[in-house]
Amino acid sequence: MCGVGVSAMQYLKKEIREKIIAAAIEEFKEHGYSDASIRNIANNAEISLGNVYRYFTNKEALYFAVINPFME
């Protein structure tokens, strides 16, 4: 793993997931669920579109990841 420890990789994964969720919150607030764009979320999180789909299978899964903390 090029000298990167497992815990460092886990941190990076958590950081990327949090960036996606933060960008998704803004996208859903601004455009609503129907008009929200995964491409915009990826661009605003400064990651590839494919990387979003590594963390979330679709827009619905991402939406639930965003709203779930508020529902608990």
Side-chain angles (χ1 to χ4, degrees):
M1 280 207 256
C2 302
V4 177
V6 173
S7 62
M9 290 301 290
Q10 288 171 341
Y11 172 76
L12 290 175
K13 289 179 181 180
K14 183 178 179 185
E15 182 179 282
I16 291 169
R17 188 176 194 282
E18 289 172 357
K19 284 177 71 171
I20 295 168
I21 289 175
I25 289 169
E26 293 306 311
E27 183 73 7
F28 290 131
K29 272 196 318 191
E30 189 172 327
H31 300 285
Y33 176 81
S34 296
D35 293 329
S37 163
I38 296 293
R39 186 173 305 280
N40 286 347
I41 292 167
N43 289 339
N44 292 334
E46 300 177 335
I47 63 167
S48 70
L49 181 60
N51 215 6
V52 173
Y53 287 109
R54 284 191 187 103
Y55 289 83
F56 302 97
T57 55
N58 54 34
K59 183 166 69 170
E60 182 180 20
L62 178 52
Y63 182 73
F64 282 116
V66 166
I67 65 167
N68 194 41
F70 298 104
M71 298 181 78
E72 292 181 344

